Amino acid sequence: SDVNDKRASFSSYGPNIDVVAPGAGTIIAPVVDPTAPTINFTNAYYGTFYGTSYASPIAAGIVALVKSIYPISTVDDITGVMDGTATNLSSMNGRIYTPEYGHGLVNANAAVIVATSLQNDTKTKPKFGQTGDHRSEHSFTPGEGMSSGCKVAPDTYCTVRAKKPTKGHDRYLPYKKGDANGQVGWQWTGDMLESGEWSLQATQGDQKSNSYMLFAK
């Protein structure tokens, strides 16, 4: 992403991306020698950077934070935390997922909060609520309103993972904290998903509900 939280012009995109991270802009730090070149590697980093060499370390640093707080986390757990805590950008127009931005901009603070909860929770297996559009359960249409829910231990976090078995694409609803009864709910639209068959699970770190199939009609 660039300094305006837009997708950088040189950045690739498509239905398989997870998140975006800052990769075009200027890092400003105190410079001891004002006559030094713009990029001064002897005094922190100062200058303009572009590309995944800039964005990837930011994402990797957040992953390291999550792993340090939640040591038993798997690749799927970390993917869920990164995707489920990403900041929804204005360019996404309220959609949870878009091919240009994935789930949004990486968010270290939100990822740490959720990872801390996952490490400390009671590891109760979440229960998944039924999902479907206005016509029937187990069905969706792009643009149609959908509802999902999960039941977890009180005051712990949960998300819903949608996986497309034929392509391995993942979609995560934003991690949300359950109420005093452990109830969590989301309202979303079917355009988050590509056409075809998806497998949904309520997910709380390494604890997952039984699978629930959803089909485009």
Side-chain angles (χ1 to χ4, degrees):
S1 59
D2 62 20
V3 293
N4 298 310
D5 285 339
K6 305 288 186 182
R7 181 180 63 82
S9 60
F10 53 80
S11 182
S12 54
Y13 57 94
N16 60 329
I17 71 169
D18 288 299
V19 291
V20 294
T26 301
I27 297 176
I28 300 175
V31 178
V32 174
D33 181 3
T35 65
T38 302
I39 299 178
N40 180 357
F41 291 101
T42 63
N43 183 55
Y45 294 135
Y46 177 87
T48 301
F49 290 77
Y50 295 95
T52 51
S53 296
Y54 186 1
S56 294
I58 293 175
I62 299 173
V63 170
L65 281 172
V66 170
K67 191 69 175 177
S68 69
I69 294 165
Y70 182 29
I72 65 169
S73 55
T74 65
V75 171
D76 283 346
D77 299 344
I78 292 174
T79 301
V81 170
M82 295 290 283
D83 292 356
T85 62
T87 298
N88 191 275
L89 300 173
S90 60
S91 298
M92 298 172 68
N93 297 316
R95 289 174 290 174
I96 292 174
Y97 181 94
T98 72
E100 289 209 343
Y101 294 94
H103 294 84
L105 183 68
V106 291
N107 185 325
N109 185 60
V112 165
I113 290 171
V114 170
T116 301
S117 175
L118 295 177
Q119 176 62 21
N120 295 332
D121 70 31
T122 58
K123 304 300 181 186
T124 303
K125 184 176 181 179
K127 296 179 180 180
F128 182 72
Q130 295 174 334
T131 294
D133 61 23
H134 67 280
R135 295 164 305 165
S136 66
E137 298 172 14
H138 297 283
S139 67
F140 76 93
T141 303
E144 293 291 342
M146 310 281 285
S147 297
S148 293
C150 72
K151 178 74 165 57
V152 290
D155 300 316
T156 63
Y157 285 84
C158 185
T159 182
V160 170
R161 178 191 187 187
K163 184 175 182 65
K164 191 173 180 63
T166 57
K167 294 186 177 180
H169 293 170
D170 281 325
R171 304 288 184 266
Y172 284 89
L173 297 180
Y175 256 107
K176 290 179 68 174
K177 190 176 184 179
D179 61 20
N181 296 314
Q183 298 287 348
V184 185
W186 298 265
Q187 300 291 322
W188 53 286
T189 56
D191 55 12
M192 181 178 83
L193 308 177
E194 305 160 61
S195 63
E197 177 182 316
W198 291 79
S199 174
L200 276 64
Q201 289 178 296
T203 301
Q204 189 178 55
D206 60 346
Q207 299 295 313
K208 298 173 176 62
S209 71
N210 295 331
S211 296
Y212 181 95
M213 301 309 297
L214 198 60
F215 306 90
K217 291 184 178 181

